[in-house]
């Protein structure tokens, strides 16, 4: 479904171009000095340009109810009190027995597992339940470290209205947004990325991108959520005349499968903005968009994302009803059809990892799969899939459901994964580990073993990257878990939005260059994959 607004309202779209090209106030034009009374003089000096500008803004962002009307996204007191007795603790798990005990405790007490890697497991727990949880664990796990002592305060701080230098986008700040889109070249001065943005603003901003770059950008809806919201996407690509290949190779970039992972949504929007504005200026991006389409879906779980803004900042799942009346939602990353039965999370709808009673029971996962299959029937070939999550700074490749089966192009997946990690490290100094997504909290000694570590803290059946890899042939599928490594977890402060976006932009460039047939950006350059790290990863998977 394509939004008709930018195509049908030709006058406001033309006005948008005029508004971007000319100052709308005498103050901005330099005719009057800055100071009190400037705005009133401007509106009388340039009334026609002001009318053109306002028409364009209203066409994209909607009509304001008044001069002082501002969309404030102030968190309700309920959002604070909901988690005021919660803490996040870290367990250093070193044996399969410890992982088994931790998995059983998490299942028995319906604990919220925040992260699990071969080095640690992070769990959110209520203070009053902390001692009871420890009693279920072996002595070696009874002295965890406390990562976040006050979850409520950390959650509260992520809302843009809580900090003066984290502005929330409103209708009255559209002038600044338009100016930042037009003039900023690296995202630093773009007000959109100064704060996390609510769903309504993200949707309007995507419409603005289409209106400003109609030859490069198409806004579509891949389907509806359970509560009836559109799952919006931007298709970005240039159809060059000398491209005789009827099949359009496509890279899919998704975020927001889990509602609370705000940094994944912000990073997808940063990538789409960077790709759009770099076309024709940056050779690597230009070449990539000439040969490929990139489809960006920043909020695959719009119901869950909206719920994190209105009711529960730490909500993970969708909002679909389940067989248990009081427990809503599915973990979208356990609801895809490939190896769905390998997940152990189909038992309790109250579990944070509940994948449903049958594959694709979740409306949003089904919509994505149906859209993607329909695309392949219309000359689209998915060659890459980047599914962004948080947190723990990991680059994970298939398979998720089991370590006993290797993907056919394992060495290529490992090589590209290591190259992505190096591209990130060179851009920011941050380290991202590279591993098979099948690994649990305790890495197995052999990926070809007859049995996987059992039970795992969280099993991996029904994963999106496995389905796109196996069913649609997206041979380079990765789940990338973004910043950080536990200091903030899912509650990453907004000042990390731009640095995280830049990390992934460099990774996307490397990814695209690899798909174009090169071994990283500029052969022999600093982006070449580090052979020592690649050899170590290869050794661990033998």
């Amino acid at each position: 479904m394509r939004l008709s607004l930018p195509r049908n309202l030709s006058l406001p779209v033309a006005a948008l171009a005029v508004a971007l090209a000319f100052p709308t106030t005498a103050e901005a034009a330099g005719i009057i000095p800055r100071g009190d009374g400037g705005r009133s003089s401007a509106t009388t000096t340039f009334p026609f340009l002001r009318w053109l500008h306002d028409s364009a803004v209203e066409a994209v962002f909607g009509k304001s109810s008044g001069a002082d009307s501002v969309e404030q996204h102030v968190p309700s007191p309920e959002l604070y009190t909901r988690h005021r007795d919660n803490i996040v603790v870290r367990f250093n798990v070193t044996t399969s027995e410890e992982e088994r005990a931790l998995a059983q405790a998490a299942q028995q007490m319906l604990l919220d597992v925040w992260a699990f890697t071969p080095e640690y497991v992070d769990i959110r727990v209520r203070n009053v339940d902390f001692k009871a949880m420890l009693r279920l664990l072996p002595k070696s796990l009874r002295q965890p470290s406390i990562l976040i002592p006050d979850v409520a305060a950390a959650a509260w701080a992520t809302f843009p209205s809580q900090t003066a230098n984290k502005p929330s986008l409103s209708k009255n700040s559209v002038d600044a947004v338009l100016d930042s889109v037009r003039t900023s070249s690296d995202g630093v001065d773009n007000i959109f990325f100064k704060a996390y943005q609510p769903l309504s603003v993200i949707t309007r901003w995507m419409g603005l991108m289409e209106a400003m770059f109609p030859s490069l950008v198409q806004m579509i809806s891949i389907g509806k959520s359970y509560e009836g919201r559109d799952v919006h996407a931007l298709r970005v690509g240039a159809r060059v005349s000398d491209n005789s290949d009827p099949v359009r190779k496509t890279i899919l970039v998704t975020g927001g499968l889990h509602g609370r992972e705000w940094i994944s949504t912000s990073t997808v929007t940063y990538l789409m903005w960077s790709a759009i504005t770099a076309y024709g200026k940056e050779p690597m991006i230009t070449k990539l968009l000439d040969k490929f389409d990139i489809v960006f879906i920043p909020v695959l779980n719009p119901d869950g994302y909206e719920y994190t803004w209105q009711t529960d900042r730490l909500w993970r799942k969708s909002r679909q009803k389940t067989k248990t009346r009081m427990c809503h939602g599915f973990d979208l990353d356990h609801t895809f059809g490939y190896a769905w039965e390998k997940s152990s999370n189909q038992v309790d709808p109250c579990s944070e990892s509940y994948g449903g009673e049958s594959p694709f029971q979740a409306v949003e996962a089904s919509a994505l799969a149906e859209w993607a299959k329909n695309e392949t029937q219309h000359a689209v070939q998915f060659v890459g899939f980047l599914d962004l999550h948080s947190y723990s700074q990991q680059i994970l490749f298939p398979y998720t459901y089991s370590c006993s089966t290797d993907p056919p192009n394992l060495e290529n997946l490992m090589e590209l994964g290591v190259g992505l990690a190096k591209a990130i490290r060179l851009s920011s100094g941050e380290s991202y580990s590279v591993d098979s997504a099948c690994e649990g909290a305790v890495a197995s000694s052999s990926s070809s073993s007859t049995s996987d570590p059992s039970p795992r803290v969280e099993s991996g059946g029904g994963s999106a990257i496995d389905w796109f890899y196996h069913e649609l042939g997206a041979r380079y599928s990765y789940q990338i878990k973004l910043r950080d490594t536990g200091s903030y977890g899912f509650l990453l402060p907004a000042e990390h939005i731009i640095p995280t976006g830049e990390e992934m932009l460099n990774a996307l460039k490397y990814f695209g260059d690899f798909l174009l047939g090169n071994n990283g950006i500029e052969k022999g350059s600093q982006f070449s994959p580090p052979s020592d790290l690649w050899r170590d990863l290869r050794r661990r998977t033998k």
Side-chain angles (χ1 to χ4, degrees):
M1 175 181 176
R2 185 179 176 87
L3 289 189
S4 60
L5 178 61
R7 292 291 181 263
N8 294 340
L9 293 182
S10 57
L11 177 59
V13 172
L16 178 61
V18 175
L20 292 173
F22 296 98
T24 60
T25 66
E27 179 181 273
I31 296 176
I32 63 172
R34 297 181 181 272
D36 296 337
R39 184 170 180 82
S40 60
S41 298
T43 55
T44 56
T45 306
F46 294 108
F48 181 68
L49 288 181
R50 169 55 63 185
W51 175 82
L52 283 177
H53 180 273
D54 290 346
S55 297
V57 168
E58 289 176 6
V60 177
F61 288 90
K63 187 175 178 61
S64 176
S65 59
D68 297 325
S69 174
V70 177
E71 283 187 339
Q72 294 290 349
H73 298 279
V74 180
S76 67
E78 180 187 1
L79 282 162
Y80 185 87
T81 58
R82 179 179 291 270
H83 302 297
R84 62 183 175 185
D85 64 339
N86 286 197
I87 60 175
V88 177
V89 295
R90 170 165 294 181
F91 297 90
N92 295 315
V93 181
T94 58
T95 68
S96 297
E97 290 73 20
E98 289 178 343
E99 181 174 10
R100 181 180 300 110
L102 198 57
Q104 291 172 344
Q107 183 177 6
Q108 179 177 333
M109 299 182 66
L110 292 176
L111 299 174
D112 183 9
V113 178
W114 275 31
F116 66 100
T117 75
E119 288 78 38
Y120 57 81
V121 177
D122 297 344
I123 292 179
R124 176 172 65 92
V125 62
R126 295 192 307 165
N127 269 310
V128 294
D129 297 329
F130 185 42
K131 290 183 178 180
M133 178 186 67
L134 293 181
R135 286 195 292 268
L136 298 175
L137 302 177
K139 290 184 178 179
S140 58
L141 291 177
R142 291 183 183 174
Q143 291 185 325
S145 56
I146 297 178
L147 292 182
I148 304 178
D150 189 343
V151 171
W156 189 258
T158 60
F159 286 89
S161 58
Q162 297 310 110
T163 307
N165 62 357
K166 299 177 184 178
S168 177
L169 195 63
S170 68
K171 290 179 181 177
N172 283 0
S173 66
V174 169
D175 289 354
V177 176
L178 295 179
D179 185 65
S180 67
V181 169
R182 176 169 56 91
T183 60
S184 59
S185 58
D186 59 1
V188 175
D189 297 322
N190 195 320
I191 192 174
F192 187 83
F193 302 111
K194 297 292 186 180
Y196 294 111
Q197 304 296 347
L199 183 63
S200 60
V201 171
I202 293 172
T203 301
R204 292 170 183 171
W205 183 83
M206 292 171 71
L208 175 62
M209 292 295 100
E210 183 189 40
M212 292 178 62
F213 304 94
S215 64
L216 190 66
V217 177
Q218 179 189 20
M219 188 172 179
I220 61 175
S221 171
I222 68 162
K224 297 281 188 180
S225 70
Y226 175 76
E227 294 180 343
R229 296 179 175 89
D230 279 304
V231 180
H232 288 295
L234 284 191
R235 187 194 309 275
V236 182
R239 301 279 178 158
V240 294
S241 57
D242 61 347
N243 186 0
S244 59
D245 190 352
V247 176
R248 188 63 173 174
K249 294 180 179 179
T250 298
I251 302 167
L252 178 62
V253 182
T254 59
L257 268 78
H258 297 140
R260 64 191 177 188
E261 297 174 9
W262 287 6
I263 190 61
S264 72
T265 289
S266 292
T267 301
V268 174
T269 60
Y270 191 93
L271 289 177
M272 72 170 73
W273 174 83
S274 299
I276 292 167
T277 55
Y279 182 76
K281 302 175 184 177
E282 210 277 342
M284 176 63 242
I285 294 295
T286 302
K287 186 176 181 181
L288 178 62
L289 294 180
D290 282 343
K291 300 294 184 181
F292 293 82
D293 280 348
I294 307 179
V295 177
F296 297 96
I297 308 177
V299 191
L300 191 58
N301 177 14
D303 297 347
Y305 186 75
E306 182 70 12
Y307 196 74
T308 62
W309 281 81
Q310 302 297 333
T311 306
D312 182 354
R313 172 64 180 85
L314 294 176
W315 186 260
R316 169 184 169 96
K317 300 187 289 182
S318 67
R319 291 296 300 162
Q320 189 170 340
K321 291 182 180 179
T322 68
K323 63 182 179 181
T324 300
R325 182 178 179 183
M326 300 302 294
C327 297
H328 288 200
F330 298 90
D331 178 351
L332 295 187
D333 205 34
H334 286 304
T335 60
F336 286 81
Y338 183 70
W340 171 88
E341 70 283 354
K342 298 295 184 179
S343 176
S344 62
N345 299 306
Q346 280 83 46
V347 179
D348 192 345
C350 298
S351 168
E352 292 287 353
S353 300
Y354 180 58
E357 298 178 90
S358 61
F360 292 117
Q361 189 177 358
V363 169
E364 296 82 5
S366 178
L368 178 63
E370 289 301 316
W371 168 81
K373 287 189 293 185
N374 184 64
E375 289 286 291
T376 61
Q377 296 171 8
H378 293 82
V380 169
Q381 178 188 359
F382 289 98
V383 294
F385 177 38
L386 300 177
D387 184 23
L388 305 191
H389 288 258
S390 68
Y391 62 95
S392 66
Q393 298 183 192
Q394 294 178 288
I395 298 172
L396 306 174
F397 52 82
Y399 289 111
T400 301
Y401 75 93
S402 174
C403 289
S404 62
T405 303
D406 289 335
N409 64 332
L410 175 61
E411 288 200 358
N412 297 120
L413 286 166
M414 291 191 299
E415 180 182 3
L416 177 53
V418 170
L420 297 175
K422 185 170 185 181
I424 291 172
R425 188 171 71 253
L426 289 173
S427 70
S428 66
E430 293 290 331
S431 295
Y432 280 60
S433 64
V434 182
D435 220 327
S436 169
C438 72
E439 297 291 3
V442 179
S444 63
S445 58
S446 173
S447 64
S448 59
S449 60
T450 57
S451 61
D452 298 317
S454 178
R456 288 179 53 179
V457 171
E458 181 179 316
S459 58
S463 171
I465 63 168
D466 284 2
W467 187 84
F468 271 92
Y469 178 83
H470 188 271
E471 299 296 331
L472 290 195
R475 309 311 291 169
Y476 294 98
S477 295
Y478 296 89
Q479 182 182 102
I480 302 181
K481 296 188 176 182
L482 304 169
R483 294 190 184 189
D484 60 1
T485 56
S487 298
Y488 298 101
F490 299 121
L491 305 175
L492 195 68
E495 51 262 33
H496 288 265
I497 292 174
I498 292 173
T500 305
E502 283 295 303
E503 289 173 358
M504 280 308 303
L505 178 59
N506 280 275
L508 180 63
K509 289 179 181 179
Y510 188 97
F511 189 81
D513 197 64
F514 188 95
L515 293 181
L516 286 167
N518 302 318
N519 187 20
I521 299 173
E522 299 176 2
K523 286 185 178 181
S525 75
Q526 60 180 356
F527 282 95
S528 298
S531 58
D532 54 343
L533 184 57
W534 181 68
R535 284 196 300 268
D536 179 65
L537 178 60
R538 189 178 180 186
R539 175 186 58 78
R540 297 199 331 257
T541 58
K542 286 187 177 296

